[in-house]
Amino acid sequence: MGAGHAHVLYQDRTSPVHRLPPEVKITAMVVFTLAVVATPREAFWAFGGYAVLVLLVATLARIGLRWLATRAVIELPFVLFAFALPFLGHGERVVWLGLELSVDGLYGGWNILAKGTLGVLASLLLAGTTTMRDLILGLDRLRCPQIITQIATFMLRYLDVLVGEARRMRVARISRGDDPRFLWQLRGFAAGVGALFLRAFERGERVYLAMVARGYQGRMPGAWRTAGAATTRHWLVAATVPLAATGIAATALVLG
């Protein structure tokens, strides 16, 4: 799990956000997302405040808006559903440009679009400023269940190995005249997937037994967990954004 295992979303920059320990960034992102979700959909001004906070963090992290926008297309199915709600909703209706739209559907679509987009952007900022190794380390420091961190650790360590093995198997099939583009050769492809699964399972079992024999107990090494752990100053600095988001959400709920 060395530095070479940086996921495709990570942006190698030098910024105050990048230097924060991963556990404080994970906590800040979760609290920010919960505050956004708890905000009434009618409080339009509150979502503008959340957007300002996201832009501020992106600026501090030196992550461009274009990068965020291109990666945020992952929520496109939800955006399409949000745009369909005004036409599918029931209840009171309004006419706009000759179209009859449901008021409840308009609010519902806005709710999905605003909260989903802010959640995706917050996740992208976390992924863009934290390596995969640090994400797992942060989850371990936050006492995430061991089974989750174990699975994530093994996935990170051996994903490249499995991808390389799948690529070699594909080359071997093609060299024997197989062409996976045709539907009637799907059986061969399925057999290859099954063989890859068996190889991965057997390899994982051997590696796990070898690690247990060397004293592995299901947690990160103690030196990793303590080195670079968050201090009180780190928690205070990282708390500014989630506290501001919580204040916005509380105000929106009071003004209701």
Side-chain angles (χ1 to χ4, degrees), residues 21-32:
E23 59 268 29
V24 300
K25 289 188 281 188
I26 294 172
T27 304
M29 190 273 292
V30 172
V31 175
F32 174 83

Side-chain angles (χ1 to χ4, degrees), residues 159-218:
L159 184 61
D160 293 338
V161 176
L162 292 178
V163 169
E165 192 159 353
R167 186 179 297 112
R168 290 191 296 271
M169 292 174 63
R170 180 177 181 275
V171 171
R173 290 201 317 271
I174 293 176
S175 65
R176 290 172 174 82
D178 180 67
D179 192 343
R181 293 178 300 176
F182 296 105
L183 184 61
W184 55 81
Q185 293 178 321
L186 185 61
R187 180 179 179 182
F189 173 77
V193 172
L196 181 63
F197 170 77
L198 291 177
R199 292 185 185 182
F201 182 82
E202 292 172 354
R203 185 194 297 270
E205 188 175 23
R206 291 195 302 269
V207 171
Y208 177 75
L209 292 176
M211 292 174 65
V212 171
R214 289 168 173 81
Y216 178 69
Q217 297 179 347

Side-chain angles (χ1 to χ4, degrees), residues 71-162:
R71 270 65 182 181
V73 295
I74 190 175
E75 65 164 342
L76 184 59
F78 300 97
V79 173
L80 297 177
F81 178 71
F83 276 104
L85 279 181
F87 301 96
L88 303 177
H90 300 285
E92 182 184 354
R93 309 187 76 83
V94 294
V95 178
W96 181 74
L97 296 179
L99 300 174
E100 288 192 2
L101 305 176
S102 167
V103 174
D104 189 60
L106 286 170
Y107 276 118
W110 158 253
N111 191 50
I112 294 175
L113 183 62
K115 295 181 179 180
T117 301
L118 289 169
V120 169
L121 293 178
S123 301
L124 286 173
L125 287 174
L126 175 64
T129 58
T130 315
T131 63
M132 185 66 74
R133 172 190 178 276
D134 286 342
L135 283 174
I136 298 175
L137 185 59
L139 291 174
D140 190 73
R141 289 174 179 170
L142 292 172
R143 300 299 177 182
C144 183
Q146 292 186 16
I147 187 64
I148 296 179
T149 55
Q150 286 186 55
I151 292 174
T153 302
F154 279 98
M155 180 189 70
L156 172 63
R157 178 62 183 86
Y158 290 100
L159 184 61
D160 293 338
V161 176
L162 292 178

